[in-house]
């Protein structure tokens, strides 16, 4: 069960690193090459969106069907186990949402760079005329 969360954590870490690399100031030639490389990788890495959505649905289903531990019928160990599983579910939900959000940020950053490049080309052609 923990393998999917480890994979998702690595994907989020990689997305964060890519987002940082894209936002660092660098020369235009390097920036355009990085942007084009990341744009090529974005299409196959779209799998993270349905994967995260499925994991969020799994968290929701488990939360709805979890045994409630309240009152004096529970021991301290059962209450601790219940709270621990709740905290893990919250952490995993944040991980899923951050994976989707980082993917969207990287997509938008690449799109902005492409738009800027196309505007610069149009401006260059107007200056040549």
């Amino acid at each position: 069960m923990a393998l999917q969360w480890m994979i998702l954590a690595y994907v989020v870490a990689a997305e964060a690193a890519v987002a940082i690399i894209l936002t660092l100031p660098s020369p235009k030639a390097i920036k355009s090459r990085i942007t084009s490389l990341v744009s090529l990788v974005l299409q196959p890495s779209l799998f993270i969106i349905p994967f995260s959505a499925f994991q969020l649905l799994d968290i929701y289903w488990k939360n709805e069907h979890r045994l409630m531990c309240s009152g004096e019928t529970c021991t301290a160990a059962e209450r601790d186990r219940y709270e621990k599983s709740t905290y893990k579910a919250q952490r995993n939900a944040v991980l899923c949402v951050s994976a989707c959000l980082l993917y969207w940020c990287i997509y938008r950053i690449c799109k902005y760079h492409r738009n800027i490049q196309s505007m610069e080309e149009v401006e260059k052609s107007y200056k040549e005329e």
Side-chain angles (χ1 to χ4, degrees), residues 17-110:
V18 167
I20 289 171
I21 289 171
L22 282 174
T23 56
L24 286 175
S26 59
K28 279 187 182 181
I30 295 173
K31 180 69 80 176
S32 65
R33 288 190 178 146
I34 291 172
T35 304
S36 64
L37 176 67
V38 171
S39 294
L40 290 173
V41 174
L42 274 178
Q43 181 94 22
S45 65
L46 184 64
F47 78 92
I48 198 64
I49 303 298
F51 182 73
S52 295
F54 176 75
Q55 295 303 324
L56 280 172
L57 287 173
D58 186 46
I59 290 170
Y60 175 75
W61 187 85
K62 286 179 181 177
N63 189 35
E64 289 295 317
H65 296 89
R66 182 178 292 141
L67 295 175
M68 291 298 207
C69 187
S70 60
E72 295 181 16
T73 59
C74 293
T75 64
E78 289 173 339
R79 195 171 300 116
D80 288 342
R81 187 179 315 121
Y82 175 77
E83 288 177 2
K84 185 179 177 183
S85 68
T86 303
Y87 292 141
K88 278 185 178 180
Q90 290 172 352
R91 178 199 64 199
N92 292 339
V94 167
L95 194 61
C96 290
V97 170
S98 64
C100 295
L101 184 66
L102 279 170
Y103 181 86
W104 179 79
C105 288
I106 292 170
Y107 171 77
R108 293 305 300 177
I109 289 169
C110 287

